[in-house]
Amino acid sequence: MVVLGSVAGSMGAVWLARKPDERAMVWVQTALLLAIFLTFIGYTSWRFRKWAALCERGAALLDAGDLGAAQRALEDADGYALRPPERVLTRFHLALCALFQGHVDAARSGLLALSRGWRTKEVPDVYVRAPDMLAACLALQGDLVEARQWLEEAHRRRRPGDASFSLGELLILCREERHGATVRLLDDRREAIEKSSVLVRNQLRVIRAFSWDALAMEGGGGTPDEELKGVGPVRPGEFNYLGAQWPRMEAFLRARGLSEKEAA
């Protein structure tokens, strides 16, 4: 397309040098406009394909738990994004990368911008999930009042009958030390959880084990060790973000060897 534009420009220059009649000038102008239009369409299509490939790759790496590679792919994708929906989706995934890497403040900032941004509505899934994940960040930081507010906002945005899993609600319950309710929520959403990525399932098993451990300490039974047996191969520091600003969770992770666990 760039070559086509250059050729059209050269043709236009030749015609102008020869001072053609008015009818010829109209044809030249039309050809130039067409060349510019086709060049623009080709360029935007190329950028969209690059963005789509990189964003898809980044999302797949994120689901697989390869957070560093996912972040690099998504940052590259963000550079190719032209339209607001493309930027919204890319930056949502980047915020998740930041969260799971333990950069809770950065994730909170990114998710807050997305939750408040009016262009986020153009990506319905992000429109619902951004405030829910923001609530999760706030819960991890112990800001439960604001976390509840954003969780309610996520519920208002959710379509009727949507039974998707809410990490924000789970972490709020867990941080409030309502461990029985935490386990019940995980049981109620078992089907949705099974459809989640390995990264998410591992994290939820750890949260469930943490709740069972707390219930056991309160004399309510629980089998945290059984829950942890289901945790698949993990990367070093995979669960550190859970305890970064949550002392009791950090103590649990250390006691179970999960804060330094090596990848299998």
Side-chain angles (χ1 to χ4, degrees):
M1 290 299 174
V2 174
V3 173
L4 179 59
S6 300
V7 171
S10 300
M11 290 174 61
V14 171
W15 276 100
L16 288 173
R18 292 182 177 180
K19 297 182 179 180
D21 58 29
E22 185 176 344
R23 186 174 180 181
M25 281 295 297
V26 171
W27 280 106
V28 171
Q29 291 170 354
T30 302
L32 285 171
L33 289 173
L34 180 60
I36 292 170
F37 175 74
L38 291 174
T39 301
F40 175 75
I41 293 298
Y43 175 69
T44 54
S45 297
W46 170 77
R47 284 196 54 153
F48 176 78
R49 289 193 300 271
K50 289 287 289 184
W51 168 82
L54 286 166
C55 191
E56 183 178 357
R57 181 169 181 268
L61 289 167
L62 175 60
D63 285 344
D66 193 347
L67 302 177
Q71 181 179 351
R72 290 189 293 273
L74 291 166
E75 286 173 347
D76 288 343
D78 196 44
Y80 285 102
L82 281 174
R83 300 180 304 153
E86 296 163 16
R87 288 192 289 270
V88 165
L89 184 58
T90 306
R91 290 171 189 180
F92 176 69
H93 287 313
L94 280 169
L96 296 186
C97 278
L99 172 61
F100 296 143
Q101 286 177 314
H103 309 308
V104 183
D105 287 332
R108 174 178 174 170
S109 177
L111 291 165
L112 180 61
L114 289 170
S115 298
R116 288 176 171 171
W118 64 276
R119 302 306 295 260
T120 306
K121 288 184 178 181
E122 298 178 33
V123 187
D125 184 53
V126 177
Y127 182 65
V128 174
R129 292 185 64 197
D132 182 73
M133 294 305 297
L134 175 57
C137 291
L138 291 162
L140 288 171
Q141 294 179 320
D143 193 346
L144 297 176
V145 174
E146 190 174 354
R148 277 283 177 194
Q149 292 172 352
W150 281 108
L151 179 64
E152 290 170 4
E153 177 62 25
H155 287 331
R156 282 193 292 270
R157 296 181 183 187
R158 190 166 291 145
R159 293 184 296 272
D162 186 354
S164 59
F165 182 76
S166 170
L167 183 61
E169 183 177 5
L170 178 72
L171 288 175
I172 289 171
L173 289 173
C174 200
R175 194 69 195 260
E176 289 174 340
E177 299 190 354
R178 297 167 61 189
H179 299 294
T182 300
V183 173
R184 286 193 296 274
L185 178 61
L186 287 166
D187 287 340
D188 291 342
R189 296 290 186 269
R190 188 178 298 275
E191 185 176 344
I193 292 169
E194 289 303 317
K195 296 178 182 178
S196 303
S197 65
V198 174
L199 174 68
V200 171
R201 290 200 302 272
N202 278 348
Q203 292 166 354
L204 296 181
R205 286 191 178 101
V206 169
I207 294 171
R208 186 186 182 93
F210 171 76
S211 290
W212 275 124
D213 184 68
L215 289 170
M217 292 176 65
E218 295 168 3
T223 55
D225 292 331
E226 288 298 318
E227 291 294 335
L228 292 176
K229 286 180 181 178
V231 175
V234 298
R235 298 174 185 274
E238 184 171 323
F239 307 113
N240 287 359
Y241 84 96
L242 291 170
Q245 298 180 54
W246 189 353
R248 188 170 179 180
M249 175 64 82
E250 182 185 18
F252 172 79
L253 294 172
R254 288 189 178 279
R256 302 290 172 172
L258 291 171
S259 58
E260 302 90 7
K261 187 172 181 179
E262 295 295 328

